[in-house]
Amino acid sequence: MAALAPSVTVAVVGAGAMGQGIAQVAAQAGHPVLLTDSRPGAAQAAVESIAKALTALVEKGKRTAAERDATVARLRAVDGLSDLAPAGLVVEAIVEDLDVKRRLFAELEDIVGADAILATNTSSLSVTAIGAGVRRPERLAGLHFFNPAPLMALVEIVSGLATDAAVLDTLFDTAKAWGKSPVHCRSTPGFIVNRVARPFYAEGLRLVQEQAADPATIDAVAREAGGFRMGPFELMDLIGHDVNFAVTRSVHAAYFGDPRFQPSLIQQELVEAGRLGRKTGRGFYDHSPGAAKPVPRNAEPAAKPDRVLVQGDLGSAAALVGLLREAGIAIEETAGPGLLVADGVTLALTDGRTATARAAEDGIAPLVLFDLALDYAKATRVALAPADGTPSEAVAVATGLFQALDKAVSVIDDAPGLVVMRTVAMLASEAADATMQGVASAVDIDIAMTKGVNYPLGPLAWADRIGLPHVLAVLDALARTYGEDRYRASALLRRRISASHIPSPPRGEGQGEGVAPRGSTSSGHSNTIAESTPRIPLTPTLSPGGRGGKELSA
């Protein structure tokens, strides 16, 4: 089904920041837009605010005056719902209250035409529950924009239990015509982004709770090693802890207390203290005028090692070998379990165990673990964690090695999985579960996380890059360390790894003509790949459920 024609009138109910943004997006796409709000004068004020924002873009050379004038001319503030009769699409952006939304849509049903689509911008309520309050729930769907709507690319197209597929396709194509990146998902708690993103905040909060590192150091490692645009603490301060904490509590309750979504006592205390982040001037950081910028923990300069022994394949950290050579360090390569040895000190990419446990179990000392980086060549920082009892001289050797590669080094306490690795592993597991449960396709989940919260890479694609066995090892180690169901690995992750080890049957046994054997490509070539990179990835191929193909989140 095609996108709505630009001649179709779009109505927006609610003239707050989100409603105003949606109205602007629709008007910029050429639609006549009717904007209304229960607060007297709010709709007209929103139209004037849009005009002011567009004028600012004109002054910056990002819009022409003609484009601004045409957009503003398509916007009209109206007094009440009765004025919305001409609308072919009505988007609701009012208070997050189920009963209020149900009453609104029940009233709209008697006003708009029979073919009009009803859409809710809810970020936390069930689209199915909202649709249960209308006579024709098949024409009601979620159209979830992200704030600020004119800037953020992602739109979640959310299907309720009764939503007609044609309505979903129309909304998808319309959002695309509006210049957005739409994704399909089912109406489950948190939809895609507000569910899958929970570990990004939760793991940072846990590390602070365990005194592994301070917020500024964790944020720096997330940005400078992980490639995230913002670290978890600065992002929570920006969103507002009242909002972020409320979403976490909502998702936790909606999943009947699943420990993966357990709220943090640290964040609860900030909310109770009124330290909500930037909007109150204080959260994890002091945002008052003239406040000092938080400084991450940086290791003291240390000497560059002359030689490094590389024992085996370093997996997702293999780029370090070339970087060490470029830094003028002599390299000797031998077979082994994927370790670096410099001046008698062993360095290893974290596998989820603490350095202390790994040193004891593998009989390695002194041992210093290093964290995952999105791209070791571009990363400007790396986190290290020494095993308990590691001499300071050994830590200095590990520090000097990474400083020789022009990386700032943050030495943190011996936390399992360090910072980036444990966060990415948990994000990938949550995304895999959402895929397995048919919330959305693997491809749409990765799109949602890169477009909705600006992740540098979708969590499923990231897991494929690391290697699924390594991700699983990290999750299983976290589960053993903590003894909590919170760190259970997705069953889909285990299934993909098992599938990668199924031998290909001889041609002709159980295979129809023209059907490639399992584990082979369509051209018949075997997909024999090392254990660190399974031949059946999480994305973008097999997705058990969801509708495929077709900055701020809390």
Side-chain angles (χ1 to χ4, degrees), residues 454-479:
N454 294 314
Y455 286 3
L457 196 63
L460 297 173
W462 209 337
D464 287 333
R465 177 188 285 190
I466 296 167
L468 304 191
H470 196 101
V471 173
L472 179 60
V474 170
L475 293 166
D476 284 347
L478 288 166

Side-chain angles (χ1 to χ4, degrees), residues 34-309:
L34 302 174
L35 182 59
T36 188
D37 194 285
S38 60
R39 298 166 296 160
Q44 183 57 43
V47 171
E48 294 169 0
S49 178
I50 293 171
K52 184 177 179 180
L54 292 174
T55 296
L57 293 176
V58 171
E59 292 171 350
K60 294 177 181 178
K62 297 182 178 181
R63 290 283 191 281
T64 66
E67 288 172 334
R68 174 201 58 197
D69 294 344
T71 298
V72 174
R74 288 189 284 266
L75 291 162
R76 183 159 68 93
V78 296
D79 294 332
L81 298 182
S82 60
D83 296 313
L84 306 184
L89 168 64
V90 182
V91 184
E92 163 273 311
I94 63 172
V95 63
E96 287 287 88
D97 184 296
L98 178 60
D99 291 335
V100 174
K101 290 182 188 290
R102 279 179 168 175
R103 287 196 297 270
L104 170 65
F105 283 116
E107 191 172 349
L108 285 169
E109 267 197 311
D110 295 328
I111 295 171
V112 299
D115 294 332
I117 294 175
L118 304 177
T120 172
N121 185 60
T122 183
S123 61
S124 62
L125 299 177
S126 164
V127 173
T128 296
I130 294 171
V134 299
R135 294 189 302 275
R136 292 182 53 209
E138 65 273 12
R139 65 167 168 169
L140 187 144
L143 189 67
H144 182 213
F145 287 80
F146 287 73
N147 195 31
L151 299 180
M152 297 300 289
L154 182 68
V155 178
E156 291 176 322
I157 311 297
V158 188
S159 60
L161 191 61
T163 308
D164 191 292
V167 168
L168 297 169
D169 289 341
T170 297
L171 290 175
F172 182 97
D173 291 342
T174 299
K176 197 169 184 179
W178 291 359
K180 298 301 180 182
S181 298
V183 293
H184 283 291
C185 63
R186 288 197 301 112
S187 180
T188 55
F191 308 146
I192 299 174
V193 171
N194 279 336
R195 170 185 175 170
V196 175
R198 302 269 57 85
F200 183 71
Y201 313 112
E203 294 312 306
L205 287 163
R206 182 127 198 194
L207 287 168
V208 166
Q209 183 176 337
E210 295 173 355
Q211 303 182 75
D214 59 280
T217 298
I218 294 170
D219 279 348
V221 171
R223 286 194 315 273
E224 300 170 34
F228 291 97
R229 187 165 301 183
M230 300 179 76
F233 299 97
E234 53 196 352
L235 183 53
M236 285 185 283
D237 267 14
L238 177 61
I239 293 167
H241 291 284
D242 52 340
V243 174
N244 187 265
F245 184 63
V247 171
T248 300
R249 290 188 64 183
S250 173
V251 173
H252 182 245
Y255 279 102
F256 306 109
D258 190 324
R260 288 182 303 180
F261 309 113
Q262 183 176 340
S264 166
L265 291 173
I266 291 177
Q267 192 173 38
Q268 176 177 271
E269 188 173 36
L270 285 178
V271 173
E272 291 172 343
R275 295 186 177 186
L276 306 182
R278 290 191 185 184
K279 59 188 175 185
T280 61
R282 182 124 191 182
F284 281 105
Y285 302 118
D286 184 353
H287 300 281
S288 59
K293 185 177 180 180
V295 178
R297 186 184 303 169
N298 292 309
E300 293 294 324
K304 178 176 82 172
D306 295 324
R307 303 180 62 84
V308 172
L309 174 64

Side-chain angles (χ1 to χ4, degrees), residues 210-476:
E210 295 173 355
Q211 303 182 75
D214 59 280
T217 298
I218 294 170
D219 279 348
V221 171
R223 286 194 315 273
E224 300 170 34
F228 291 97
R229 187 165 301 183
M230 300 179 76
F233 299 97
E234 53 196 352
L235 183 53
M236 285 185 283
D237 267 14
L238 177 61
I239 293 167
H241 291 284
D242 52 340
V243 174
N244 187 265
F245 184 63
V247 171
T248 300
R249 290 188 64 183
S250 173
V251 173
H252 182 245
Y255 279 102
F256 306 109
D258 190 324
R260 288 182 303 180
F261 309 113
Q262 183 176 340
S264 166
L265 291 173
I266 291 177
Q267 192 173 38
Q268 176 177 271
E269 188 173 36
L270 285 178
V271 173
E272 291 172 343
R275 295 186 177 186
L276 306 182
R278 290 191 185 184
K279 59 188 175 185
T280 61
R282 182 124 191 182
F284 281 105
Y285 302 118
D286 184 353
H287 300 281
S288 59
K293 185 177 180 180
V295 178
R297 186 184 303 169
N298 292 309
E300 293 294 324
K304 178 176 82 172
D306 295 324
R307 303 180 62 84
V308 172
L309 174 64
V310 180
Q311 297 182 338
D313 184 3
L314 300 182
S316 58
L320 290 173
V321 179
L323 295 174
L324 289 167
R325 283 198 175 99
E326 291 174 9
I329 298 174
I331 297 295
E332 178 185 353
E333 296 186 73
T334 66
L339 304 173
L340 297 173
V341 181
D343 295 338
V345 179
T346 301
L347 294 87
L349 175 65
T350 176
D351 65 359
R353 291 179 288 176
T354 62
T356 303
R358 189 166 174 178
E361 292 166 7
D362 296 354
I364 302 173
L367 174 65
V368 179
L369 299 183
F370 59 89
D371 202 358
L372 177 70
L374 174 69
D375 182 338
Y376 283 100
K378 296 180 180 178
T380 58
R381 180 177 299 273
V382 68
L384 303 180
D388 289 354
T390 299
S392 59
E393 295 82 3
V395 178
V397 169
T399 298
L401 184 150
F402 281 98
Q403 288 176 341
L405 306 183
D406 293 325
K407 317 295 182 193
V409 173
S410 293
V411 179
I412 69 171
D413 195 32
D414 188 16
L418 280 81
V419 178
V420 180
M421 181 66 86
R422 74 186 279 163
T423 300
V424 172
M426 288 294 285
L427 289 169
S429 186
E430 194 57 48
D433 256 12
T435 305
M436 182 177 66
Q437 294 163 8
V439 174
S441 72
V443 171
D444 277 358
I445 288 172
D446 272 2
I447 290 172
M449 302 314 292
T450 54
K451 300 293 186 180
V453 277
N454 294 314
Y455 286 3
L457 196 63
L460 297 173
W462 209 337
D464 287 333
R465 177 188 285 190
I466 296 167
L468 304 191
H470 196 101
V471 173
L472 179 60
V474 170
L475 293 166
D476 284 347

Side-chain angles (χ1 to χ4, degrees), residues 431-433 435-436 489-497 538 542 544:
D433 256 12
T435 305
M436 182 177 66
S490 170
L492 180 60
L493 179 61
R494 296 187 187 279
R495 174 180 159 192
R496 288 291 181 272
I497 294 171
L538 286 173
L542 198 55

